[in-house]
Amino acid sequence: DCIISDVFVTWSSDVATSFGLPLVSVYTANATSASVLYHTRFLIDKGIIPFAGNALKTKKKTSEFLDEKKEKLELGSRSFEI
């Protein structure tokens, strides 16, 4: 016996604990969402994600900001041009 739950159903952990059952959490969002979450730190470090201090601070449109940051990125075994 075990409980299989979406990671966003946070109360499932309490239920599993109270019944003494193991919990398996799955991330059901799309692949793009998962990839952005996985690479967020990298994208911030490269200045690609326009948080405060980047595009928002300079009041530029995101597209203008990204054009300035256009570069080839190596993510794992694939190359992407941003």
Side-chain angles (χ1 to χ4, degrees):
D1 293 334
C2 74
I3 294 178
I4 300 173
S5 175
D6 188 289
V7 295
F8 295 108
V9 181
T10 57
W11 52 266
S12 62
S13 175
D14 296 333
V15 173
T17 300
S18 69
F19 285 98
L21 295 171
L23 173 68
V24 177
S25 293
V26 293
Y27 185 78
T28 58
N30 63 44
T32 302
S33 229
S35 181
V36 168
L37 287 174
Y38 181 79
H39 292 99
T40 297
R41 173 54 42 204
F42 173 81
L43 296 170
I44 291 170
D45 290 346
K46 285 292 212 173
I48 293 168
I49 294 180
F51 287 114
N54 293 334
L56 295 177
K57 187 174 184 179
T58 61
K59 298 187 184 330
K60 293 181 182 178
K61 291 182 180 176
T62 300
S63 59
E64 293 171 350
F65 177 79
L66 291 176
D67 284 342
E68 291 175 4
K69 294 289 184 182
K70 191 172 186 175
E71 61 184 277
K72 187 176 179 181
L73 300 174
E74 301 293 329
L75 298 174
S77 62
R78 296 184 177 172
S79 296
F80 299 91
E81 189 169 300
I82 301 290

